Amino acid sequence: MSIANELLFVGDSFAVPSETLDKTVGEIRQRFPDNPSVTQAATSGRALAVNQWKAEGRTKEFVTPVVTAAAAAQSGQRSWQSVTAVARDQLNTIPVAGRAPLVVESDIRQRVSMLVHYGPQDAAYSAAIEAAQTERLVESPVREIDAVFASEGAPAAAARLREIIENSSPDTASNILEKSYGTLEKIGAALHSELLKTPASDRSIPLTSMATAPETKNESRKDRDFVNPITYTSVLDDLGAVATRVGNPAEKYRNIDRLAGIVADSIPTDEQFGYDSRDGRPRGYETAFRSVVEQGSGSALPLAVARALKERNPEDKRADAIISNTGVGIESLRKQAVADAADMEKQSRPLIMLAKEWSGLMTQGEFASAMEKYLQANPDQQAAVEKANLQIARDRDALWSATTPIDAFNGSLNGSKGFEVVRRARDDTSNRDILNFVLANEGVAMSPTVPPWWTPRAGLDLAKPVFQNDKVLTALKNSPDYITTAFANSGQIIQKARIGGAVLAGLHASDMFKAGSDFFSRTYAGMFALSGVNHSVEYAATNRGVDLGKNQVWSGYKNAFGVVFAGLDTSYAIESFIDGKPIAGAAFAGSAVSGMIAFSHPIAGAVIQLASALIYNVFGESEKRDFEKYSKQLLGFAGLKPEVVEQFSQFNANGYGVGQVFGTLAKTFAHIAPQDMMSYLESLPDDKRESLIRNARLVARDDYGKPKLTAESDLDVIPGARTRMEGLNGPGRTPENPTRAINPTPASIYGVALWASENGYKIPGLNIDLAPYHGN
């Protein structure tokens, strides 16, 4: 046992251990009178023990007044109420400034336990000390809330009640609410008067929602006369937060019935409003309950108020309106959470990219050090991610508080008009993956790997695999050159447009057929080829004096083709907008528009196609350039040579680098540490490194951007290997597909490994026997 622990152990026997501390320290020193280290340890141990006992309140200044008062009460010289007063005064000496309320409450409870433990073993004494705790934690805040109502009005009192409840432990919060009902009755009366005094002409106008005017919320708490229409909603929101904090699902929220009853009493009937109950006009209070949910204060209070009204009158329309608005509020929360998740993914994308691309080529410590320097150099980026994560955390809390109470009210509100809206809002399966991500999020930057919302609905994801191919995008970026060439070498202006469209379509089709052998690539390439045929037919018909515009079959075919073609472009435009790429989205939207009108108005179609291609060519690679810039910074901070940094930070047209490719190659095929792979790549001559990196950029990706381990075309990188190995199976190769075109460039990580081995690269740990592939 250390000397410090020995001092603490001995001190446990005394309420004020410091009084015997010096004696204990002296005894320890006497055991080793000539040992300086023991003397030093005893001195430091004494300081540690004194500081701990002081933090616990086990000092003469704190304990002695209480113990002295208790002794006097036991002898009949003073009352036990005076002991409570002394203990309360001592508890009031506990520091509050700059400390979290829950920490202060914990400190108070700990000191009360200490006083009970070390004080007289007398039930009256224990009761007196616990009464001091209740006075300090419950009675005093209750008096403060009532005083705020008297001096500042209902809005300020509701706000203070909320603040105190949310910063108290559950037990203390329940006790405070129970003892605050006197003040709450007065707040309810103020709400009732506010609704009744609204001019008759304005009673059907929904009260302002804080969701649309959050900047005025704090000001409304100073508005004791309810001058601002948001004030009513603000008070209701504060009471909703109190109900969410105190309400107990296990008791079906019956412990807030009294609060719900007060709010229910505050809502005037149609007779009091002067309404004909048969009219369908909304009442002002209805949207206020919706706002309670939208602001994240939960559905406990709205549903409890509706239950209170239904239990008095099952046909009460006010309850139905409140329930329906609760459902609308939940739907609004869900939409906001989906939007915030998209924003978080957008803000986090650079950091996610850096982690995915480069963490696999560094040790954990190296990457952490480089990332720390990167974040210091990009504080705005880090702040944006933290802000987005904070909003996701708020959405998570709001969704939980809105949906958790629903089942507890199922028995009492099931069958009520509007309750199905609440359940449907909670159980809606759309965006389920994103919402589950939000509900599970703990404030960590990550990307919800879920498909775009539109794909199952619109069925327009046909073109997505095509646009993941570098060569397709390259072809699109070259569109201006194709069109310019076509216009420079054609006859009349209309015919120029038709020839231009035919040339553009043909070149696109050629590039796309070369780009991929999958069904989607060939389908889209076929559409471009057919487009070229259409333009050529119209060109030939015009030269022969035939007006195809009057042919109904041809016109119908053109229109149908234009719609289908535009649909494919629209799919990528939508995805670009969803991914936060408005310029790319605008470019593809322009291409879609040109597809619809080019056949009947070839000049306009060509101009739009040219403009959209130029937009994409100039601006479409902005994210790719950003990723390259971010990678240069990170790799520079990692200590790589400038020429290596420059080569590594070149991304392909889809915004992917080579870090994941080489990291996975090192781990899966070479079985070496990431730093060994990085060291090997740095050691290569510049031209050989550039060649290897260029081939690694060609590796295909899956729907979530992960490089493919193997591909059907892997053996194509070794000249003649496919013919010799036809029909054999093994790592990275499948039985020959006679319809597949030969692709001599690597399409997978294994393809890169084969290409590297074939071309003389000696990657450490990578042992691939190429002899069978060469027929040896």
Side-chain angles (χ1 to χ4, degrees):
M1 180 182 291
S2 69
I3 292 177
N5 286 338
E6 181 177 350
L7 294 174
L8 293 172
F9 177 77
V10 173
D12 281 344
S13 302
F14 305 94
V16 184
S18 58
E19 294 180 346
T20 61
L21 181 61
D22 289 336
K23 178 181 177 182
T24 305
V25 170
E27 292 174 352
I28 293 174
R29 287 174 175 170
Q30 288 178 1
R31 296 179 205 164
F32 307 93
D34 300 321
N35 192 326
S37 61
V38 171
T39 300
Q40 183 178 359
T43 301
S44 61
R46 182 185 188 283
L48 185 149
V50 168
N51 288 335
Q52 179 168 326
W53 292 329
K54 184 176 181 180
E56 295 172 355
R58 292 170 62 191
T59 63
K60 183 177 181 180
E61 293 77 15
F62 187 83
V63 174
T64 300
V66 179
V67 173
T68 301
Q74 283 182 313
S75 65
Q77 297 178 12
R78 59 193 306 176
S79 66
W80 285 109
Q81 287 81 0
S82 67
V83 176
T84 296
V86 172
R88 179 200 61 210
D89 292 341
Q90 293 301 92
L91 293 176
N92 285 336
T93 65
I94 295 175
V96 174
R99 305 177 71 202
L102 282 172
V103 174
V104 175
E105 179 181 337
S106 176
D107 204 354
I108 290 171
R109 291 184 179 277
Q110 187 275 329
R111 295 202 184 191
V112 166
S113 297
M114 181 269 294
L115 289 173
V116 171
H117 177 73
Y118 289 108
Q121 300 304 301
D122 187 320
Y125 170 76
S126 298
I129 301 301
E130 290 169 0
Q133 175 177 281
T134 301
E135 165 67 22
R136 175 65 177 80
L137 294 179
V138 179
E139 300 288 353
S140 179
V142 168
R143 288 195 299 270
E144 179 188 350
I145 294 164
D146 195 58
V148 170
F149 179 88
S151 62
E152 302 178 45
R160 185 59 181 140
L161 173 65
R162 174 182 187 166
E163 183 180 7
I164 290 173
I165 290 288
E166 289 186 332
N167 287 284
S168 300
S169 66
D171 287 343
T172 299
S174 296
N175 291 331
I176 291 173
L177 178 62
E178 190 65 31
K179 291 183 177 295
S180 296
Y181 279 121
T183 306
L184 283 167
E185 294 281 1
K186 292 184 280 188
I187 292 175
L191 293 178
H192 183 77
S193 298
E194 159 60 14
L195 287 177
L196 283 180
K197 76 180 183 182
T198 307
S201 60
D202 294 336
R203 286 179 184 157
S204 64
I205 301 175
L207 296 175
T208 305
S209 167
M210 287 178 291
T212 59
E215 68 281 357
T216 64
K217 182 174 181 179
N218 290 330
E219 289 300 316
S220 71
R221 290 170 172 171
K222 305 173 185 178
D223 181 19
R224 68 175 301 158
D225 296 323
F226 291 84
V227 174
N228 192 324
I230 200 177
T231 302
Y232 175 87
T233 309
S234 178
V235 174
L236 207 60
D237 180 63
D238 289 332
L239 298 182
V242 169
T244 293
R245 175 66 171 166
V246 177
N248 187 349
E251 299 178 16
K252 299 188 181 299
Y253 293 89
R254 287 293 180 183
N255 65 320
I256 60 169
D257 272 352
R258 188 173 175 186
L259 173 61
I262 291 172
V263 177
D265 289 339
S266 74
I267 303 173
T269 63
D270 280 351
E271 290 76 13
Q272 291 171 315
F273 268 132
Y275 282 158
D276 182 340
S277 60
R278 292 171 297 180
D279 75 38
R281 289 182 296 172
R283 282 41 168 168
Y285 61 84
E286 296 173 8
T287 51
F289 280 98
R290 182 182 73 196
S291 185
V292 170
V293 179
E294 290 174 338
Q295 290 297 304
S297 296
S299 63
L301 182 65
L303 295 178
V305 170
R307 179 172 64 188
L309 292 170
K310 284 288 187 180
E311 288 177 345
R312 300 173 188 177
N313 176 11
E315 303 301 322
D316 197 319
K317 293 183 179 180
R318 294 175 296 174
D320 296 332
I322 292 171
I323 296 171
S324 295
N325 275 275
T326 300
V328 174
I330 295 173
E331 290 175 348
S332 177
L333 275 182
R334 288 167 62 91
K335 292 177 182 178
Q336 185 62 48
V338 171
D340 290 338
D343 181 64
M344 191 188 76
E345 193 275 339
K346 176 183 177 181
Q347 301 300 338
S348 302
R349 192 176 296 163
L351 303 186
I352 295 170
M353 178 278 298
L354 291 174
K356 283 183 176 180
E357 286 293 345
W358 306 116
S359 61
L361 281 177
M362 305 180 197
T363 65
Q364 187 175 357
E366 288 171 343
F367 181 76
S369 176
M371 182 59 82
E372 182 180 3
K373 295 174 183 176
Y374 173 86
L375 292 174
Q376 290 173 353
N378 297 275
D380 292 344
Q381 196 175 102
Q382 183 177 16
V385 172
E386 290 174 350
K387 180 181 179 181
N389 277 325
L390 179 61
Q391 185 57 49
I392 286 292
R394 290 171 178 163
D395 291 338
R396 176 198 63 212
D397 294 342
L399 283 170
W400 277 119
S401 63
T403 57
T404 299
I406 294 174
D407 286 338
F409 291 92
N410 189 57
S412 54
L413 296 179
N414 190 27
S416 298
K417 183 179 179 181
F419 195 63
E420 185 57 34
V421 176
V422 173
R423 279 201 298 258
R424 187 168 60 248
R426 179 194 63 182
D427 300 332
D428 183 9
T429 58
S430 62
N431 299 307
R432 175 178 289 176
D433 290 335
I434 294 179
L435 292 170
N436 285 343
F437 160 78
V438 172
L439 289 170
N441 183 264
E442 297 296 336
V444 179
M446 60 180 71
S447 173
T449 53
V450 296
W453 63 267
W454 55 271
T455 47
R457 299 181 185 180
L460 293 176
D461 53 349
L462 183 67
K464 182 176 179 181
V466 178
F467 284 102
Q468 290 178 335
N469 189 292
D470 289 352
K471 293 184 178 179
V472 175
L473 292 176
T474 300
L476 180 62
K477 290 187 294 179
N478 289 336
S479 297
D481 296 334
Y482 299 155
I483 293 179
T484 302
T485 301
F487 269 87
N489 296 286
S490 301
Q492 300 174 349
I493 186 65
I494 296 291
Q495 295 293 75
K496 286 181 180 179
R498 286 175 176 143
I499 287 294
V503 172
L504 171 64
L507 290 172
H508 274 1
S510 174
D511 278 335
M512 289 182 182
F513 275 121
K514 294 176 183 178
S517 58
D518 60 279
F519 170 78
F520 297 118
S521 295
R522 290 186 176 276
T523 298
Y524 207 40
M527 293 290 288
F528 267 114
L530 193 55
S531 174
V533 171
N534 295 342
H535 286 300
S536 299
V537 169
E538 290 201 336
Y539 176 79
T542 301
N543 279 345
R544 292 174 179 271
V546 177
D547 186 1
L548 288 177
K550 296 180 179 180
N551 187 303
Q552 293 183 351
V553 175
W554 180 258
S555 298
Y557 158 73
K558 283 196 308 176
N559 292 336
F561 182 87
V563 169
V564 173
F565 198 85
L568 295 175
D569 277 331
T570 300
S571 68
Y572 198 68
I574 293 174
E575 186 174 4
S576 296
F577 283 120
I578 291 174
D579 287 344
K581 304 175 183 176
I583 296 176
F588 285 105
S591 180
V593 172
S594 71
M596 286 187 286
I597 70 174
F599 302 105
S600 56
H601 301 282
I603 299 176
V607 170
I608 293 175
Q609 179 68 37
L610 174 62
S612 62
L614 283 171
I615 290 173
Y616 193 87
N617 191 40
V618 175
F619 300 107
E621 292 187 295
S622 60
E623 184 176 69
K624 170 180 175 289
R625 291 194 295 269
D626 287 342
F627 282 179
E628 290 175 342
K629 180 181 70 174
Y630 302 149
S631 290
K632 284 181 182 179
Q633 285 185 293
L634 183 78
L635 295 175
F637 290 135
L640 272 65
K641 295 185 293 185
E643 60 271 23
V644 177
V645 170
E646 186 64 31
Q647 289 176 333
F648 264 127
S649 57
Q650 298 300 311
F651 280 47
N652 64 26
N654 288 312
Y656 295 123
V658 296
Q660 288 188 79
V661 174
F662 287 120
T664 305
L665 193 157
K667 179 180 179 181
T668 304
F669 296 112
H671 306 291
I672 58 175
Q675 61 269 30
D676 294 335
M677 174 61 79
M678 183 65 84
S679 297
Y680 169 74
L681 294 171
E682 283 194 281
S683 69
L684 291 172
D686 289 348
D687 57 340
K688 291 206 67 174
R689 186 190 313 110
E690 174 60 32
S691 182
L692 182 58
I693 290 175
R694 184 172 59 251
N695 278 275
R697 279 198 290 268
L698 299 175
V699 171
R701 306 280 174 144
D702 62 19
D703 286 345
Y704 302 115
K706 187 177 180 180
K708 293 184 177 180
L709 277 176
T710 61
E712 187 181 19
S713 62
D714 282 344
L715 289 185
D716 293 353
V717 303
I718 303 175
R722 175 62 66 183
T723 302
R724 284 185 287 274
M725 302 302 294
E726 182 176 352
L728 297 182
N729 293 307
R733 50 190 194 273
T734 60
E736 175 65 16
N737 178 357
T739 65
R740 185 183 61 78
I742 295 297
N743 179 17
T745 58
S748 72
I749 297 174
Y750 186 68
V752 172
L754 285 174
W755 183 90
S757 298
E758 172 73 7
N759 288 276
Y761 291 83
K762 305 297 183 182
I763 298 176
L766 184 63
N767 297 310
I768 297 179
D769 183 8
L770 297 177
Y773 304 144
H774 291 286
N776 298 329

